[in-house]
Amino acid sequence: MDAERMTLSVADVARELGLSKPKIYDLLGVPGFPKIRVGRRWIIPREPLERWLEARAEEGNDVLV
């Protein structure tokens, strides 16, 4: 991921994770998924996203969406 930006767009996250944009929009509805609403846009803070992903991997939890 680009270390310069503090936040990512839905398209950025989809590209970096190899998922579709609709799947990222689904993840926005998962409790605890890091997100910030700015007007009509969603932005995802990089560090909280990385921590969220690491926690899911460590716990072995699948996120069913």
Side-chain angles (χ1 to χ4, degrees), residues 15-35:
R15 184 176 49 256
E16 294 293 330
L17 298 181
L19 298 171
S20 67
K21 284 179 21 179
K23 182 53 70 179
I24 301 305
Y25 281 108
D26 289 343
L27 285 172
L28 293 173
V30 172
F33 186 83
K35 62 194 176 277

Side-chain angles (χ1 to χ4, degrees), residues 6-58:
M6 293 175 57
T7 62
L8 302 164
S9 69
V10 168
D12 293 333
V13 174
R15 184 176 49 256
E16 294 293 330
L17 298 181
L19 298 171
S20 67
K21 284 179 21 179
K23 182 53 70 179
I24 301 305
Y25 281 108
D26 289 343
L27 285 172
L28 293 173
V30 172
F33 186 83
K35 62 194 176 277
I36 301 169
R37 184 87 186 219
V38 179
R40 294 183 56 183
R41 280 188 71 205
W42 287 104
I43 58 174
I44 296 92
R46 176 184 302 283
E47 289 184 21
L49 173 62
E50 290 172 353
R51 287 193 303 271
W52 186 84
L53 289 169
E54 288 170 7
R56 303 292 77 68
E58 288 173 6

